[in-house]
Amino acid sequence: MAVTDEITYYMRPVNGDDSADGMSFATAWKTWRHTFNTLTNAGGYTPGATFWGSRLLLANEGGSYTGPYHGPTGAEYDYRIDSLFTSIGNQFMIQGVSSDGNAYEDVNFVFDMSGFTYEYWLYCFSSVNVNSANGLSFKNITWRGLSADAGAKGILTTLYDNEAARMVSYDNCIFEDNEVVESLFGYGGYNGSYDFINCIFRRNNSYNNNKGCISSNYHNYNSQRNSGLQLYECEIHSNNKHADSSPYILATPGPLGNQNVKILNSVFYDNGNADSDIVLHFNAQTEAANIRIQDCVFFGNAGTGIYYRSANTDANYGDSIYGSKIISCVFALNNKSIDAEATPGVRQAMFTNNLFYNNTVVDIPTWMSGTTGWGISNTVGNPAFTNGQSGDFSAALTSPVFVNSRDVRFPIGGRYVVQTESTSTLPTIVSFF
C-alpha cells in the first residue's frame, strides 16, 4: 500500500530526457544537475519533491556518471540544499538501481567524481527545512575519484547547527579513491544521527590535519555540537596512506561522540602511514555519552586503533570520558590497540572479552585495569587470520577468536571473522612489519 502522496522519481543517464517529467522509468530524467535542481531549492528552482515518502532511483545503465553536477552557473548555491528533497518530515531516499530499474545488492549507481571541480557534492546550510524535520538516505551509491588538487573538500557537509540534523543514512554505499581537502562527510548539529550500514571506505585521503573520512566539521574539541555516529557491518581499510594526509582515519578530534556512537561488526585494517595516526578518535562532552564498539577487528593499522580524548570536566577527577564499552573486539598488529590522552581519564567503562596480539607498543594498556567498571576475560593470543592484511579474517576453529569467545557461534571480532574448513592446524598469520 503506497504512502499518501508518495512519488518515485527516476534518472537514467543514458536513456533519460531532462525535458520529461521524471516520474516513471520510461520518462526518466537524464542528468544529476537537472534532477537535483528540480527536486531542491538549489539555484532558485522550485522544489518538486514536497511530498511524503518520496524517493529518487538512479539507474546504472553501464559505466559511471561523470556529470554535469551543478546548476548553470556552477556557483555555490547550485549545489547547496536549502530544503531537503522533501519539505515534509520524512526520509527521502536516493537509491541506485540496475539498468532494468530493479535494485540488486551488487549493483551500485557510480558517481565518478574525477572531473569534479567544485568544493562539495552536497552542501547544507541555513534553512529551517534542513533540520530535525527531515532526513536523507542513500542506498547502493558509489562515490569515487574526488580530487583535493581540483579543490574538492568533501561529499556532503553541514556548516552549522541543525542542517541535515534528523538523520542521514548510507546503506550499501562505497566511498573509494577520494582525496579531499577536508573530509568525505562533515557533520554539525546538536542532535544529528549519521548512520553507515554495510558501507566500504577504502583508499581515501583527507589533507586537513584535524579531519578524516567522517568529521565533526568546524567544531573544536570542546564544542557542544556533537552529532551521533553509527556504523554497522562496514569495512574501513587502506585510508590516509599518503604521508601528507591527515593522521585521523575515520573519526576526528571533534566530539562526534556526544549523541552516542555505536560501531558494530566492522573491520578496520591497513589504515594510516605513521605510528602517530589514529583510526577512531573520540571526545565526549557529557557523562551521558555512550560509545560502544563491539564485534570489530582492528588489524595492521599503522597507528592507534582507538583513542580517547578526555573532555568532560569533573570536580573530583578532572577531565574524563565516561560510559565507553569495547566488547569482543580483536586488536592485532597495530602500533597501539587503545590509548587515551590522560589516565585515569576513562571512567565507568567496560572493556571485556577482547583479544590482543602483537600490537607494537602495548597490547592491553595497564591503565585499563584501573578504570571504573573494568571488565574481565581480555586475553592475548594469535588470532591466526588467513590473511588479515588483505581483509581475509577467516581462521581455524582452534583460533582464540573461537576458543575464547563466550559463544562459538559469535567469534571475537564479529561477522567478518569466519571459520575455515580445516580445524587441525592454525594458519600462519601474515606479518608485514
Side-chain angles (χ1 to χ4, degrees):
M1 180 176 179
V3 177
T4 303
D5 291 332
E6 179 181 292
I7 294 179
T8 297
Y9 298 91
Y10 297 84
M11 174 181 147
R12 299 173 63 188
V14 175
N15 296 301
D17 183 350
D18 283 342
S19 65
D21 63 15
M23 298 178 68
S24 73
F25 190 72
T27 61
W29 293 315
K30 184 177 182 64
T31 68
W32 173 254
R33 179 174 66 188
H34 178 81
T35 301
F36 178 79
N37 287 338
T38 302
L39 300 183
T40 71
N41 278 339
Y45 290 79
T46 300
T50 55
F51 298 96
W52 185 277
S54 298
R55 63 177 181 165
L56 168 65
L57 300 183
L58 308 175
N60 184 336
E61 298 186 303
S64 304
Y65 182 78
T66 58
Y69 285 104
H70 298 131
T73 65
E76 173 184 309
Y77 288 93
D78 290 321
Y79 60 97
R80 88 182 221 175
I81 306 175
D82 279 339
S83 175
L84 284 184
F85 290 82
T86 173
S87 63
I88 297 175
N90 196 255
Q91 287 289 114
F92 185 85
M93 170 72 78
I94 301 176
Q95 181 173 357
V97 296
S98 71
S99 58
D100 61 7
N102 293 310
Y104 303 101
E105 288 187 3
D106 60 345
V107 176
N108 275 24
F109 185 89
V110 180
F111 285 105
D112 180 349
M113 310 293 288
S114 57
F116 187 80
T117 58
Y118 304 98
E119 293 183 351
Y120 305 105
W121 187 73
L122 289 183
Y123 179 81
C124 304
F125 174 59
S126 186
S127 173
V128 295
N129 290 322
V130 195
N131 57 25
S132 57
N134 302 283
L136 186 60
S137 297
F138 298 93
K139 188 171 184 178
N140 289 53
I141 307 288
T142 294
W143 290 265
R144 68 165 65 116
L146 281 168
S147 170
D149 289 339
K153 292 184 176 181
I155 294 174
L156 185 151
T157 194
T158 62
L159 181 60
Y160 201 54
D161 290 339
N162 291 318
E163 292 80 24
R166 180 187 183 210
M167 185 175 77
V168 180
S169 67
Y170 303 85
D171 187 350
N172 199 38
C173 292
I174 299 174
F175 320 102
E176 62 184 7
D177 300 311
N178 297 292
E179 296 199 337
V180 294
V181 176
E182 293 180 354
S183 58
L184 295 181
F185 304 98
Y187 292 128
Y190 291 93
N191 300 306
S193 177
Y194 305 103
D195 296 357
F196 296 85
I197 304 165
N198 193 32
C199 292
I200 298 174
F201 294 78
R202 59 191 173 202
R203 302 183 301 274
N204 302 290
N205 289 319
S206 167
Y207 291 95
N208 185 305
N209 195 51
N210 287 319
K211 297 184 179 183
C213 290
I214 305 172
S215 79
S216 59
N217 210 17
Y218 299 100
H219 308 313
N220 59 28
Y221 299 150
N222 297 313
S223 170
Q224 290 292 330
R225 302 183 181 98
N226 307 306
S227 302
L229 174 65
Q230 325 287 333
L231 266 73
Y232 305 97
E233 301 184 0
C234 293
E235 297 181 35
I236 298 89
H237 72 89
S238 309
N239 298 286
N240 283 23
K241 302 291 288 185
H242 194 282
D244 296 328
S245 57
S246 168
Y248 303 102
I249 309 301
L250 188 75
T252 63
L256 277 168
N258 204 41
Q259 300 299 332
N260 299 334
V261 169
K262 186 179 292 184
I263 300 177
L264 306 177
N265 282 292
S266 297
V267 293
F268 305 81
Y269 66 96
D270 192 31
N271 294 290
N273 63 83
D275 58 15
S276 57
D277 292 343
I278 299 171
V279 177
L280 293 175
H281 189 296
F282 298 119
N283 172 13
Q285 287 288 304
T286 174
E287 294 183 16
N290 181 359
I291 299 174
R292 184 183 187 95
I293 304 171
Q294 183 169 340
D295 300 317
C296 294
V297 174
F298 295 81
F299 184 96
N301 297 292
T304 300
I306 300 172
Y307 186 91
Y308 294 103
R309 180 180 295 276
S310 302
N312 188 74
T313 299
D314 185 285
N316 296 319
Y317 298 111
D319 291 340
S320 298
I321 188 168
Y322 291 82
S324 181
K325 299 177 179 65
I326 300 178
I327 302 171
S328 193
C329 294
V330 175
F331 297 86
L333 292 173
N334 308 286
N335 184 58
K336 291 183 180 180
S337 56
I338 306 168
D339 201 1
E341 180 182 38
T343 56
V346 181
R347 299 185 178 278
Q348 297 178 1
M350 177 179 291
F351 301 139
T352 186
N353 201 45
N354 300 293
L355 179 67
F356 299 83
Y357 176 71
N358 205 19
N359 297 282
T360 305
V361 175
V362 65
D363 282 319
I364 305 176
T366 56
W367 58 265
M368 287 174 57
S369 63
T371 62
T372 304
W374 163 253
I376 58 175
S377 302
N378 296 291
T379 56
V380 176
N382 186 350
F385 295 132
T386 300
N387 193 337
Q389 184 182 5
S390 64
D392 183 350
F393 299 105
S394 59
L397 188 59
T398 47
S399 166
V401 296
F402 297 106
V403 174
N404 296 351
S405 176
R406 293 164 295 180
D407 187 330
V408 71
R409 296 172 299 172
F410 304 100
I412 298 174
R415 70 177 296 271
Y416 286 93
V417 177
V418 296
Q419 180 185 341
T420 59
E421 293 183 4
S422 173
T423 60
S424 58
T425 60
L426 285 174
T428 302
I429 193 166
V430 175
S431 175
F432 51 94
F433 290 95

